[in-house]
Amino acid sequence: MKLKVVSYLDKGEFPLGEEEALALYRAMRRARFFDEKALTLQRQGRLGVYAPFMGQEAAQVGLALALKRTDWVVPSYRESALLLAHGLPIHTLLLYWRAHPAGWRFPEGVRAVNPYIPIATQIPQAVGLALAGRYRGEDWVVATSIGDGGTSEGDFHEGLNFAAVFNAPVVFLVQNNGYAISVPRAKQMRVDYIARRAEGYGIPGVVVDGNDAIAVYLEAKKAVARARKGEGPTLLEALTYRLAPHTTSDDPSRYRTREEEETWRRKDPLLRLRGALEERGLWDGEREKALLDELEEEFARELALADAAPEPRPEEIVEHVYKEMGPDQRRAWEVLRADA
């Protein structure tokens, strides 16, 4: 049976109040602004290798705004928008992408762990964090995200099965952008929708138009509410597209066509939501300019904070791994400190 893809904007539907809709657009625009600035900084040699997310803002921000600040996010490396929308300061994120140890130490009160680079390893750890909350009597929900390619990894299956068996309060977001780096989805799997796999674990699987911010936000809210009520995990698949390269070291023209990219540019999640807001008199060019001025000021202020971070000490690279250092970690720390 074909799964239903949840969407609203293409049907002219707008089941969201003004305040929530504007908050969604503002957070997505802020994320896009960061992404554009980060790419420029990387080309200037002021960031390391960077994984842009342009085109996937609705999926990430829609999930983030469905959470409470007391919930946790366990991201992969492309989830800068998710982290920003969940409260991570811009200067901390910039330092992370500079591989500066100060960027690995997220501030108190920001319930997010560092982005995972090894594919799918975040999935079982997200489940463990969710179960830890239950054992401690907390009511936090854990949201974690992965790409379509990552769902072919063993950790993905083990994590979802474990979460299902123990009814863990987790929302699994799959950002299906159609490519595992350069390998198209059709060469990775035979299923039409990844959410279909949820049935094999005995949990709900939902497919949303991942470039429709309202659809992602509302379905994420349902999944979060379900997890918080003790009804277990949900697999949420957002159909989207990465408008940018896989990383700043990638050339997507080697594996996809310009026509395909142009088709998806017309589905740009920012433009779709902005158009819907403008049709309802909730947004206009003047408000857009005011927002961009505000974002420019904020970014300049945050970049100055990142630039002012002191040069790290060598031993800092092994600090903050665990609350208390183990023997191996301490030995490395002492050697690095002695060599400084």
Side-chain angles (χ1 to χ4, degrees):
M1 185 172 70
K2 189 171 175 59
L3 290 180
K4 175 189 172 189
V5 179
V6 180
S7 66
Y8 296 103
L9 292 174
D10 280 350
K11 302 173 190 168
E13 298 174 5
F14 201 85
L16 210 58
E18 177 179 341
E19 190 176 334
E20 281 182 302
L22 290 175
L24 200 50
Y25 179 73
R26 283 176 167 277
M28 288 170 58
R29 193 65 191 87
R30 181 171 179 258
R32 174 71 62 89
F33 193 87
F34 173 88
D35 201 45
E36 292 166 341
K37 290 287 188 182
L39 275 172
T40 301
L41 289 175
Q42 197 280 334
R43 296 309 189 205
Q44 292 172 344
R46 298 169 73 187
L47 287 190
V49 173
Y50 175 71
F53 53 80
M54 183 184 295
Q56 299 184 208
E57 294 87 350
Q60 296 186 31
V61 173
L63 173 61
L65 295 199
L67 299 168
K68 293 181 180 177
R69 286 300 169 93
T70 50
D71 295 329
W72 284 89
V73 300
V74 181
S76 183
Y77 55 81
R78 199 180 304 288
E79 272 79 77
S80 291
L82 176 62
L83 288 167
L84 286 172
H86 196 56
L88 186 68
I90 288 174
H91 69 270
T92 307
L93 191 54
L94 289 173
L95 288 169
Y96 170 81
W97 285 110
R98 285 180 178 177
H100 191 297
W104 309 337
R105 297 190 294 266
F106 288 179
E108 287 290 331
V110 176
R111 289 195 160 179
V113 301
N114 279 195
Y116 286 62
I117 306 299
I119 305 302
T121 52
Q122 72 274 22
I123 300 298
Q125 295 191 21
V127 178
L129 180 56
L131 293 176
R134 180 190 297 165
Y135 291 137
R136 293 173 53 162
E138 306 279 356
D139 79 334
W140 70 55
V141 172
V142 176
T144 188
S145 181
I146 193 168
D148 46 295
T151 66
S152 298
E153 294 283 344
D155 277 353
F156 175 79
H157 301 286
E158 292 159 15
L160 264 73
N161 189 58
F162 200 82
V165 169
F166 290 94
N167 218 36
V170 188
V171 178
F172 299 100
L173 171 68
V174 176
Q175 293 181 78
N176 182 354
N177 65 22
Y179 288 90
I181 306 183
S182 59
V183 180
R185 186 194 59 78
K187 291 188 176 179
Q188 301 174 55
M189 61 192 76
R190 294 290 298 273
V191 291
D192 51 357
Y193 294 112
I194 295 165
R196 196 180 289 286
R197 292 177 173 166
E199 188 177 351
Y201 310 117
I203 64 175
V206 180
V207 189
V208 295
D209 177 345
N211 284 16
D212 181 334
I214 294 176
V216 177
Y217 173 65
L218 291 179
E219 290 305 314
K221 279 184 76 171
K222 290 179 193 172
V224 170
R226 186 172 174 277
R228 207 181 307 282
K229 284 191 293 185
E231 296 175 4
T234 300
L235 176 58
L236 183 62
E237 179 183 5
L239 305 177
T240 184
Y241 193 80
R242 163 172 51 79
L243 293 172
H246 175 69
T247 70
T248 45
S249 299
D250 176 41
D251 175 9
S253 69
R254 294 172 65 87
Y255 55 85
R256 63 189 195 191
T257 65
R258 182 172 296 178
E259 290 74 20
E260 178 183 297
E261 291 182 6
E262 287 306 314
T263 298
W264 279 95
R265 282 190 190 287
R266 289 193 287 277
K267 301 177 184 176
D268 185 323
L270 258 80
L271 298 182
R272 287 173 72 188
L273 183 56
R274 179 178 170 178
L277 290 169
E278 288 179 343
E279 283 175 14
R280 289 157 180 81
L282 300 175
W283 199 255
D284 54 30
E286 192 175 331
R287 292 181 191 185
E288 181 76 9
K289 181 180 181 310
L291 175 59
L292 291 177
D293 289 346
E294 182 185 312
L295 294 176
E296 189 74 54
E297 280 184 28
E298 179 193 35
F299 193 87
R301 190 169 60 245
E302 293 287 313
L303 178 59
L305 285 173
D307 288 345
E311 195 69 19
R313 293 171 284 107
E315 66 269 24
E316 283 186 68
I317 63 171
V318 294
E319 293 175 349
H320 306 285
V321 177
Y322 298 107
K323 184 177 181 181
E324 295 177 5
M325 290 189 193
D328 290 344
Q329 188 183 352
R330 178 161 291 282
R331 265 197 302 279
W333 182 78
E334 288 170 351
V335 168
L336 289 166
R337 194 177 183 200
D339 287 346

